[in-house]
Amino acid sequence: MAGIKNFEKAEVVILKEQIDYQKGQVVSKTMAQNEHLSVTLFAFDKDEEISTHESGGDAFVTCLDGVGKITIDGEEYILYEGESIVMPAKHPHAVYGQEQFKMLLVVVF
């Protein structure tokens, strides 16, 4: 099984500083990915989104910076820095940058 990638080992980091905003884009940086787990950093510019979709695993989101809107089964949740939510497997969900928004996404399959 592969380990953590795209990060130095044995170095203290601030996660929100490990990915940059880009105008008009959603940027991602994969930390780990295999058949059991996916760990990815995202940076959403304001008004950018990942449209409604479903995942085969439970998706745990933590807001690292800014303000994001998470929609699960049609219900909207606003996330601020330090807050987290679980998007359950096989339920439609979407992610939107209400303001610029950075998040850590951990999907467990």
Side-chain angles (χ1 to χ4, degrees):
M1 178 159 86
I4 301 291
K5 60 183 178 179
N6 297 319
F7 285 82
E8 294 297 321
K9 307 295 191 285
E11 180 179 302
V12 175
V13 298
I14 298 171
L15 280 180
K16 69 182 179 181
E17 294 177 357
Q18 302 307 304
I19 191 164
D20 295 320
Y21 294 112
Q22 292 186 25
K23 183 141 183 75
Q25 294 187 33
V26 176
V27 181
S28 66
K29 182 177 184 179
T30 301
M31 296 175 64
Q33 190 163 12
N34 60 46
E35 66 275 11
H36 304 291
L37 180 74
S38 173
V39 182
T40 310
L41 289 175
F42 284 90
F44 291 73
D45 196 17
K46 182 178 179 175
D47 296 325
E48 294 300 317
E49 69 181 325
I50 297 175
S51 60
T52 303
H53 63 286
E54 294 181 13
S55 172
D58 287 335
F60 180 80
V61 172
T62 298
C63 177
L64 303 173
D65 186 50
V67 181
K69 180 172 68 177
I70 309 295
T71 304
I72 304 169
D73 291 326
E75 187 169 345
E76 295 179 352
Y77 304 86
I78 303 300
L79 284 186
Y80 298 93
E81 185 173 338
E83 296 180 333
S84 300
I85 193 167
V86 174
M87 301 181 294
K90 299 183 170 82
H91 286 255
H93 59 268
V95 181
Y96 174 79
Q98 187 153 322
E99 300 294 333
Q100 285 188 321
F101 171 57
K102 292 182 182 180
M103 70 179 205
L104 173 68
L105 174 68
V106 178
V107 183
V108 180
F109 299 100

